Amino acid sequence: MSPLDALVRRAVVRISAPGGGYEAPSDRFWGSGFFIAPTWVLTCAHVVACGGGGVWSSPDAVGVSWPGGRATGTVELARPVPGPPGAGRTTWPAPDLALVHVPEATDVECVWLSDRPAFEGARVVLHGWSLETGTRGYRPAAGQVTGRDGPLLLLRGERPVAGTSGGPLVDAVRGEVIGVCKARDASDPTAGIAVPVTALHALRDVAGGASVTDTVLAAHDRHHLARHRALGPDPSWTDAQAELRRERPGGLEPAARTHLLGRLAALTPPATPGEVAALVDAARRRTLQGRYREGLEEPVPHTWREGVGLLYGRDGPRELMGVVLYAAEVTALVRARGHVADTGPLCELRAWIRQTAEPLIDIREEIRDIIDIRREVREILGGREPAATGPGARARAAVRVLIRPSGYGDRHPWEIKLVFDGDGRGGHTGVTAFDGDDTGVRRAGLREALHGPLAAALNQCDVGGQLAAVEFVVPRDLFDEPFDTWQLAPRGTAEGGTNPHGLPLGQRRVVAVRDLLRTTVGPTQEWRRRWRGTSSGPLAAIPLRAGLAEHGHDGPRGEGWPAAYDRLSNAEPPSVPVFCGPAGSGDGAAAMDAALAAGHPVVIWRSRASGHTDCAEFHRQAEEFVGQVRTAEQLHGPLRSLRIRTGDPEQPDPKAAWGRSVALLYDPPDQPAEDTATVHEPYPAPGTTW
């Protein structure tokens, strides 16, 4: 038995009803699982469900047995989320994972979890327990990853046997767990299905899941660092991985990786995946490795460790440079937050960075600038932490929600894209697809359909306190949709706090409307000239429809389209049309069309005002509001404040009442082109250098 196989076997557990241990002649065997950190077992949700509905709601409802130990555990997280006790399930869609807490299992062997996705062709060994032959036994099976079926891995090789569900799928070349056995193919005795271990992060979406998964993964990395440092007679996972790599030296060696991940695990976790992705972008750009491309072949990075996983495995010298640069940027970002608990771990991380960067002549000076000069700046400021710089000082990208005109069945196809402007440390300019639905949904179902994908996109783009802007590129008949009021999650959290995604979009971040029709034609000279005017200012408000301030909506019909177009065409370039009613239908839509034809890139209106008589007050207040702002870009902050002050129906701010349901058209003429960058190959094919 190889050192790696011995390590896996000590970590694999047998899951059963409480009391069904290794030695007991019990037929209450449910399946397999494995320790991923002291006191924590990962398995399939359908395995623990063999105990019935009470497993989900009762403590100590799961029996866990491992070499030298037996205890009971509690299902802390599971997805799919089970129904009420006794309801049962007939299907177990991906991820089909569960985390079981076993408090007594403190001195156990734990597997090494991959921080990278599995690739097709990987040679693997599936480990688990089975009763299929009538005798309880440990039955590993060799095979290969042959592809993917949506979120699942397809396997082929030795026949997976019943009972190994929940067991680890070990990459025999990389020496790490890349999946969890889910099932065998009933129609093909040589085929099986596994859940990628990176799907563990799907448990973050369960109530309280983010805190638990962060805790477990940090404990995993601390455990392996302690095992490597122990220098005992038994080999550690780091030793086994080093043996596998003995003939392929270079790059990020297993010992260096173990030390790095153990130190990163002691830091305050990232606030959003966007923070990690921004630092990965910066490191890849510096080492010419291409930008991180979520949704194509790489998982969403929720932890600092996953950022490391996105930077190694391609080319020895460049991968180590990228990892060290990334670690230095993590150090700078975390230190800028000023959490006292991070002081000690940051000192250890800096020591690792200095030691590892010593032979990297090309980046030693840059590393010193990142981890030392910012400290000097802090000392000059009298001990006060400066704001985060580099990738942490701005959102990684903006989010574009493109909704197309309704087609068959009155359904609107939609897309969500990430808009990179090239000014961030990622250095990329372009528009990259994130999610979409070509079938579409009806108008009334847009918010429900989009709230999940939109929240995921924002998490990819928010960096620290810098929040991504959202632009809704829509047909003109959707201009009055209350996009700024959309809430992407319940307001409260399970812990009693406020979920940031539960706040209305427009009260937390920049939200604006753009004209879909304009994206189909090239920018006109009028459009560009007026954009230059509103960008330099000073701004001045003009009526979108003439006469409303004096006569209101019940007065004379006023100017027709030609007169409105003539007046709006002759307005000064920094002018901002304002309107006290909806702009997606009726006279407001006709006036908006005239303004767009005249090249106006910025318009303010009340999207949901009806039956009102305060037209004169609105125009007076809007004129004052616009006049206090110098440029178009500077409108966003005051507009967000206005939305906050008018957002409480129970205690509205009377001074801000005029601004209820205010919408903003913010439509620059020159936008980044669609992304045409070549998708890079993130990991080597089997048999090549790691």
Side-chain angles (χ1 to χ4, degrees), residues 184-276:
R184 56 181 175 174
D185 190 333
S187 63
D188 186 345
T190 67
I193 302 170
V195 181
V197 76
T198 50
L200 175 64
H201 291 290
L203 297 180
R204 300 176 68 90
D205 296 334
V206 180
S211 175
V212 172
T213 53
D214 284 346
T215 298
V216 172
L217 288 173
H220 167 278
D221 289 334
R222 290 195 300 268
H223 164 82
H224 284 290
L225 178 57
R227 282 278 284 115
H228 178 59
R229 281 175 158 175
L231 301 177
D234 295 327
S236 67
W237 275 82
T238 305
D239 298 327
Q241 291 169 343
E243 180 65 22
L244 290 172
R245 281 194 60 164
R246 186 171 56 178
E247 297 180 2
R248 297 180 293 273
L252 183 64
E253 297 287 351
R257 182 179 58 171
T258 298
H259 277 278
L260 173 58
L261 297 186
R263 286 160 171 76
L264 291 174
L267 300 178
T268 301
T272 66
E275 285 190 341
V276 184

Side-chain angles (χ1 to χ4, degrees), residues 501-513:
H501 284 316
L503 296 172
L505 277 177
Q507 292 186 23
R508 189 163 181 248
R509 61 181 77 238
V510 172
V511 176
V513 171

Side-chain angles (χ1 to χ4, degrees), residues 400-406 412-413 415 472-479 513-521 527 596 665 667:
R400 176 176 296 169
V401 181
L402 193 153
I403 303 175
R404 301 197 180 278
S406 60
H412 292 271
E415 300 173 74
F472 287 88
V473 184
V474 299
R476 295 179 187 179
D477 62 344
L478 295 183
F479 273 17
V513 171
R514 291 185 57 219
D515 179 27
L516 177 64
L517 186 59
R518 271 179 162 176
T519 65
T520 64
V521 297
W527 190 4
L596 295 173
L665 176 87
D667 204 4

Side-chain angles (χ1 to χ4, degrees), residues 36-57:
I36 62 174
T39 76
W40 289 99
V41 168
L42 181 63
T43 184
C44 286
H46 80 262
V47 169
V48 292
C50 292
V55 167
W56 311 114
S57 56

Side-chain angles (χ1 to χ4, degrees), residues 549-620:
E550 296 81 14
H551 307 292
H553 291 271
D554 296 329
R557 183 172 179 81
E559 62 186 358
W561 191 95
Y565 174 69
D566 179 56
R567 177 177 57 82
L568 293 167
S569 295
N570 289 315
E572 293 297 319
S575 300
V576 175
V578 299
F579 181 52
C580 61
S585 59
D587 292 339
M592 177 66 81
D593 181 69
L596 295 173
H600 285 275
V602 181
V603 182
I604 293 174
W605 72 99
R606 288 203 292 199
S607 62
R608 298 179 303 283
S610 60
H612 60 276
T613 59
D614 63 342
C615 298
E617 178 64 12
F618 172 85
H619 281 268
R620 186 185 69 79

Side-chain angles (χ1 to χ4, degrees), residues 439-522:
T439 303
V441 294
R442 291 184 172 86
R443 180 170 181 167
L446 284 171
R447 191 204 70 82
E448 182 64 26
L450 284 162
H451 81 272
L454 180 53
L458 292 171
N459 281 338
Q460 279 293 293
C461 298
D462 291 346
V463 178
Q466 304 302 313
L467 305 182
V470 185
E471 55 180 43
F472 287 88
V473 184
V474 299
R476 295 179 187 179
D477 62 344
L478 295 183
F479 273 17
D480 294 323
E481 280 294 305
F483 299 119
D484 62 289
T485 69
W486 281 14
Q487 294 169 262
L488 307 183
R491 183 68 172 265
T493 66
E495 295 78 16
T498 296
N499 185 336
H501 284 316
L503 296 172
L505 277 177
Q507 292 186 23
R508 189 163 181 248
R509 61 181 77 238
V510 172
V511 176
V513 171
R514 291 185 57 219
D515 179 27
L516 177 64
L517 186 59
R518 271 179 162 176
T519 65
T520 64
V521 297

